[in-house]
Amino acid sequence: MIERAIRDTVAQESDLVRSAAGRLPKTWGVLAARGVMTFRQLAGRAPTDAERRALWAGLWHAAEELRAHE
């Protein structure tokens, strides 16, 4: 479920991922929140602390990957 939430968030929020990769102020927090909302929609519940941390790590990794290739 976490991987799907990451994939869906990255696909739906590509501009936000790009902004987070560019380290624009406040974009990381918005991206992280969108990831949590996507997880909630998919799972029908809030993520546990461990799931939330894994989700954030995956989104951060996606932004860093984009940053490395731009």
Side-chain angles (χ1 to χ4, degrees):
M1 189 65 59
I2 292 168
E3 290 300 320
R4 181 170 173 204
I6 292 167
R7 275 194 318 271
D8 288 1
T9 303
V10 169
Q12 295 167 4
E13 305 291 347
S14 59
D15 289 341
L16 194 52
V17 175
R18 201 170 358 275
S19 294
R23 308 227 172 151
L24 293 176
K26 303 188 188 232
T27 55
W28 165 246
V30 175
L31 180 61
R34 297 274 169 87
V36 170
M37 290 187 315
T38 300
F39 182 92
R40 280 178 175 261
Q41 290 174 340
L42 293 170
R45 63 174 176 81
T48 65
D49 286 343
E51 288 169 329
R52 189 176 63 250
R53 284 191 299 272
L55 178 61
W56 290 348
L59 290 171
W60 183 258
H61 179 74
E64 288 295 303
E65 283 291 310
L66 184 62
R67 180 182 166 99
H69 290 100
E70 287 191 338

